[in-house]
Amino acid sequence: MAGAKNAVETCLAVRPEEHVALIADQASAAVAASLAAALNERKAAFTGLLLEDFGPRPMSSAPKPVLDALETADVGILCMNPQPGELGARMAIVQVVERRRIRYAHMVGVTPQIMQQGMRADYKKVDQLSDRLRERMLRAETLTVKTEAGTSFAAHFDRGLDWVKTSGLISPRYWSNLPAGEVFTTPATVDGTFVCDATAGDYFNGKYGDLQETPMTLTIEGGRLKKVECEREDLEKEFWEYCHTDENSDRVGELAFGTNLGLSEMIGILLQDEKFPGVHIAFGDPYGSQTHADWKSKTHVDVLTRNCDVWIDSDQIIEKGHYQLGHLGLA
């Protein structure tokens, strides 16, 4: 309940007179119940929608009653566990949110454990850190990321593309994942090696789990995925094929800082782990409506690495997964 109250009262700032569309699936029933209770405490009206009521999973498209509810809601919440092939349905939901500019929490993969951890963060502190990073990155030339596991890459940036802050304090301009704590852009170029020894996104997280024991080594040149190596041949083949679904599926569409200072360890669930202090990337769609990138993809898959060392130009601002807050004026 503490996490649910944080989501409703702090992150979404739901007011008693507002109407909320609360969308969930059966796997997320416990989380949805806590959010419903928090909305009741707030005396906010809500419409509850269960995805399984509108057809079989995985969803081939977004159910019309869900889209209709978002057309009239002041606030939207989606809590569900992703299944293969559902990205298009989720993107259709987000399109309504972005067109109407309503406050919206995207809680895909949320669990009771996440509600008890990442959703209990002090989001005002997360917002402060996210602001400082965004300010630094708007004028940065190079970002360098290394890990003891073998990650070593450099990224450069296009000043015409924005750095987006999703720090948990949700506004009509930017919807956000919850738990929150990210600052991201679409990089101009990425070159080097990325070792995914944590989790991968979309349905890979649910299917393959934490990859610490069988990491994927990804070779990136000119912002494109050139090679995948993994002891698990099934994962190697499936990830490569996923990243070649369309002409931009192999392109680095996102580079992001995790900024949730309330997290002490990764738990093997992407929704929370991507907010862990460090840097991660994603191949595929660049969220152009937010970053202003002028290309698209049908796919989007994050990859995470552990214990990052990160430099903005020559200034090391993360050491072994810990922010050097003094370097950001926050000590």
Side-chain angles (χ1 to χ4, degrees):
M1 275 306 302
K5 285 170 67 70
N6 211 12
V8 168
E9 298 177 10
T10 302
C11 297
L12 286 164
V14 176
R15 298 186 295 273
E17 70 273 13
E18 291 186 307
H19 191 94
V20 181
L22 175 58
I23 306 151
D25 65 359
Q26 290 174 339
S28 306
V31 173
S34 69
L35 290 164
L39 289 167
N40 282 329
E41 281 192 20
R42 198 69 164 170
K43 295 182 168 54
F46 68 92
T47 299
L49 301 105
L50 183 67
L51 291 173
E52 282 81 2
D53 285 346
F54 307 117
R57 301 282 300 278
M59 300 178 291
S60 57
S61 61
K64 186 176 184 298
V66 168
L67 299 180
D68 288 346
L70 289 168
E71 287 287 356
T72 58
D74 301 299
V75 178
I77 304 173
L78 174 65
C79 52
M80 61 176 288
N81 277 357
Q83 295 189 20
E86 292 190 332
L87 182 61
R90 298 197 302 273
M91 290 175 76
I93 289 170
V94 168
Q95 285 171 0
V96 175
V97 167
E98 291 182 338
R99 173 170 52 79
R100 293 201 59 234
R101 293 205 170 190
I102 63 172
R103 304 192 307 286
Y104 171 71
H106 196 69
M107 305 176 75
V108 177
V110 69
T111 65
Q113 183 184 18
I114 288 173
M115 296 300 288
Q116 293 162 2
Q117 294 178 1
M119 274 314 305
R120 296 182 68 172
D122 182 340
Y123 280 108
K124 292 181 180 178
K125 289 185 178 178
V126 174
D127 186 66
Q128 190 178 35
L129 170 59
S130 300
D131 266 337
R132 293 296 175 87
L133 281 170
R134 183 176 182 275
E135 290 168 7
R136 286 285 293 274
M137 292 311 301
L138 284 171
R139 59 181 189 271
E141 297 292 337
T142 306
L143 189 78
T144 305
V145 181
K146 296 182 179 181
T147 70
E148 291 182 358
T151 292
S152 181
F153 71 86
H156 296 87
F157 306 100
D158 181 343
R159 295 291 171 84
L161 301 181
D162 202 2
W163 280 89
V164 181
K165 177 188 73 170
T166 57
S167 60
L169 304 183
I170 297 172
S171 73
R173 176 65 182 90
Y174 294 122
W175 59 270
S176 175
N177 287 314
L178 286 183
E182 260 188 301
V183 179
F184 68 91
T185 192
T186 302
T189 61
V190 176
D191 292 278
T193 301
F194 189 100
V195 177
C196 177
D197 59 352
T199 53
D202 201 337
Y203 67 87
F204 288 94
N205 189 188
K207 184 172 182 178
Y208 292 99
D210 193 319
L211 302 179
Q212 190 167 20
E213 299 302 318
T214 56
M216 286 192 296
T217 300
L218 312 174
T219 302
I220 305 165
E221 295 175 7
R224 298 269 185 174
L225 179 65
K226 295 299 182 181
K227 189 176 184 181
V228 180
E229 297 174 277
C230 183
E231 288 181 9
R232 292 199 60 169
E233 293 181 3
D234 53 344
L235 172 57
E236 178 182 309
K237 180 175 184 291
E238 192 169 354
F239 191 84
W240 177 262
E241 290 176 351
Y242 180 99
C243 289
H244 289 82
T245 302
D246 62 38
E247 63 181 357
N248 285 321
S249 293
D250 67 342
R251 191 170 176 179
V252 179
E254 175 190 352
L255 182 145
F257 290 89
T259 60
N260 192 315
L261 295 170
L263 302 177
S264 59
E265 62 182 2
M266 289 188 171
I267 62 171
I269 301 174
L270 180 94
L271 177 65
Q272 178 163 294
D273 287 352
E274 68 177 353
K275 315 309 187 314
F276 191 88
V279 168
H280 65 272
I281 62 173
F283 296 96
D285 195 78
Y287 297 138
S289 61
Q290 299 188 47
T291 66
H292 310 305
D294 61 359
W295 55 275
K296 295 182 178 181
S297 174
K298 296 176 184 176
T299 61
H300 181 94
V301 59
D302 295 83
V303 285
L304 310 188
T305 190
R306 285 178 149 86
N307 299 321
C308 292
D309 290 317
V310 181
W311 291 262
I312 298 175
D313 296 325
S314 60
D315 184 14
Q316 185 169 8
I317 54 102
I318 301 178
E319 184 174 356
K320 299 294 183 289
H322 296 280
Y323 278 101
Q324 307 302 294
L325 296 175
H327 289 227
L328 295 165
L330 295 171

